[in-house]
Amino acid sequence: MNPTAAITAIGHYLPKDRLTNADLEKMVDTNDEWIKSRTGISERRILRDPNKATAFMASEAARELLDKRGIGADEIECIIVATVTPDMMFPATACLVQNEIGASKAWGFDLSAACSGFLYALNAGARFIESGKHKKVLVIGADTMSRIIDYTDRTICVLFGDGAGAVLLEPTTDGVGILDSVEQIDGSGGDFLNMKAGGSLHPATHETVENRWHFARQEGRQVFKHAVVGMADAAANIMERNDLTADDVKYLVPHQANLRIIDATARRMGISSEKVMLNIQRYGNTTSGTIPLCLHDWEAKLKRDDNIVLAAFGGGFTWGATYVKWAYDGAAVARTQAEHEVEAQAI
Ligand code: UT7
């Protein structure tokens, strides 16, 4: 029997600094009521230290994960980092993380799929486990969106925040783990959400800087229209393919771009709001970070055999959904972690 890939540990990193709606009111012509009612966001985290970026957050998330799983970095065989805000064009963020955490036996690469990045990286990582090639794959979603956001543009600066989440994939033959996935792209949507300069078509020039082409930009209404349909279709599709009813699904783990898109997905799946992991109000849209940050926040509630559906939509367009049967009781991990912290304080 071929193994499946189980998520066996989660780590995360969030910068301490908060950017609230009240702060944004002082920066652009916006208001708390508009932001909350149109997006669901109240505040986001911002990585202020100019000497730190995505690789730092990704490495911190990885360190927490290794500590929780009780393994050394030298046990990791492959590192996949989903990001659209790498520290630099190359080397890959995965190489920076590998060096930073001392994962001496790992290879790895970055995966660029905007807000679907973590979902795609998870599915790609799962294939290495299923094929028997690797026994420990580290999948990280990390983005420092504040570095590519124009804080004079109210249509975009209210949406994004910084953060990172990481999961460990290991083989199992117990019927749990990543059981199915659907992925789609539609490149005709590329003009609606992108960052125009900094690649080989428009390398940095005075003109690209003056035109503000090194910032992300989107046509929100267009992206919204496609995201509502894409994310809901993908989630419904994965339920149908796996004979899952709304009762069978314990949690939806949606990409956190807009509360209204998330609500539409939950409605399409026929599930109630208590089954929806939601932290957009606190972190905004952290791009590749949203899904693993939700898993981190809900870890203590997750139980072995829980059916969870992950769903995302992002620039590209990219979108998809993944069906995971959860592999461990999160409450036990939370207890051990708390004991660990008490012991550490006593030393
Ligand atoms: O994660 C990757 C995928 N990204 C997404 O899924 C984002 C999808 N899009 C969205 O979430 C929504 O389109 C937004 C939240 C970005 C915008 O919400 P909307 O309901 O689509 O608003 P809109 O763009 O249609 O703008 C409505 C009005 C406009 O004014 P007029 O033209 O009606 O006078 C905007 O200029 O709201 C105005 N507006 C704002 N007002 C106050 C736009 N941004 C702001 C703002 N504060 N921050």
Side-chain angles (χ1 to χ4, degrees), residues 150-164:
D150 181 352
Y151 285 97
T152 66
D153 179 357
R154 70 173 183 173
T155 68
I156 201 152
C157 71
V158 301
L159 304 173
F160 290 93
D162 303 335

Side-chain angles (χ1 to χ4, degrees), residues 184 225-235 312-313 319-320:
Q184 273 178 277
K225 220 168 63 185
H226 287 88
V228 160
V229 176
M231 213 159 100
D233 274 358
F313 186 95
W319 70 100

Side-chain angles (χ1 to χ4, degrees), residues 17-287:
D17 276 309
R18 292 175 156 82
L19 180 68
T20 65
N21 291 352
D23 296 329
L24 284 162
E25 283 178 8
K26 292 178 208 139
M27 296 160 68
V28 288
D29 179 16
T30 191
N31 59 78
D32 181 54
E33 200 281 324
W34 191 97
I35 302 172
K36 275 199 198 133
S37 63
R38 300 282 177 133
T39 71
I41 303 168
S42 295
E43 60 178 42
R44 328 95 194 106
R45 300 297 183 92
I46 305 292
L47 186 63
R48 300 272 181 212
D49 185 342
N51 297 311
K52 291 183 172 138
T54 298
F56 163 77
M57 295 198 298
S59 300
E60 289 295 300
R63 282 200 187 93
E64 185 183 80
L65 174 155
L66 293 170
D67 186 45
K68 280 165 78 177
R69 184 73 182 94
I71 60 169
D74 58 352
E75 293 189 47
I76 301 297
E77 293 162 54
C78 178
I79 301 169
I80 309 177
V81 180
T83 187
V84 288
T85 52
D87 285 30
M88 48 198 130
M89 286 290 282
F90 69 90
T93 316
C95 298
L96 305 178
V97 172
Q98 180 269 340
N99 186 45
E100 180 62 33
I101 65 174
S104 53
K105 300 191 184 98
W107 73 292
F109 56 92
D110 287 6
L111 190 152
S112 173
C115 296
S116 306
F118 178 79
L119 199 80
Y120 286 11
L122 186 73
N123 297 338
R127 303 294 95 83
F128 290 121
I129 299 283
E130 289 159 10
S131 67
K133 179 155 173 71
H134 292 311
K135 300 229 160 5
K136 285 187 173 57
V137 175
L138 183 56
V139 178
I140 306 174
D143 271 301
T144 320
M145 293 304 290
S146 62
R147 305 284 163 85
I148 60 162
I149 291 298
D150 181 352
Y151 285 97
T152 66
D153 179 357
R154 70 173 183 173
T155 68
I156 201 152
C157 71
V158 301
L159 304 173
F160 290 93
D162 303 335
V167 301
L168 183 66
L169 295 177
E170 296 185 77
T172 176
T173 49
D174 290 352
V176 294
I178 293 156
L179 299 186
D180 194 17
S181 67
V182 291
E183 301 91 354
Q184 273 178 277
I185 63 172
D186 178 0
S188 70
D191 282 346
F192 298 126
L193 175 52
N194 57 31
M195 189 172 80
K196 210 164 173 175
S200 55
L201 183 60
H202 298 295
T205 61
H206 285 292
E207 191 197 9
T208 60
V209 172
E210 273 159 23
N211 291 342
R212 309 183 86 75
W213 286 355
H214 294 274
F215 290 123
R217 52 159 291 282
Q218 73 168 337
E219 287 179 38
R221 232 174 278 188
Q222 284 294 335
V223 180
F224 186 92
K225 220 168 63 185
H226 287 88
V228 160
V229 176
M231 213 159 100
D233 274 358
N237 185 1
I238 205 108
M239 286 174 73
E240 203 176 300
R241 279 160 59 126
N242 292 281
D243 292 325
L244 293 170
T245 65
D247 284 343
D248 296 328
V249 175
K250 190 67 191 280
Y251 290 109
L252 164 67
V253 194
H255 168 56
Q256 314 274 309
N258 187 312
L259 186 54
R260 291 179 288 148
I261 299 173
I262 295 170
D263 285 345
T265 305
R267 271 200 303 279
R268 178 76 182 281
M269 294 169 73
I271 63 166
S272 53
S273 57
E274 320 85 71
K275 291 188 171 186
V276 181
M277 292 190 190
L278 206 64
N279 55 20
I280 190 172
Q281 63 280 18
R282 285 179 288 141
Y283 312 142
N285 183 350
T286 55
T287 303

Side-chain angles (χ1 to χ4, degrees), residues 297-312:
D297 285 0
W298 263 258
E299 184 182 24
K301 290 187 188 157
L302 284 163
K303 296 199 178 65
R304 187 182 162 88
D305 292 327
D306 280 351
N307 292 311
I308 67 173
V309 172
L310 282 45

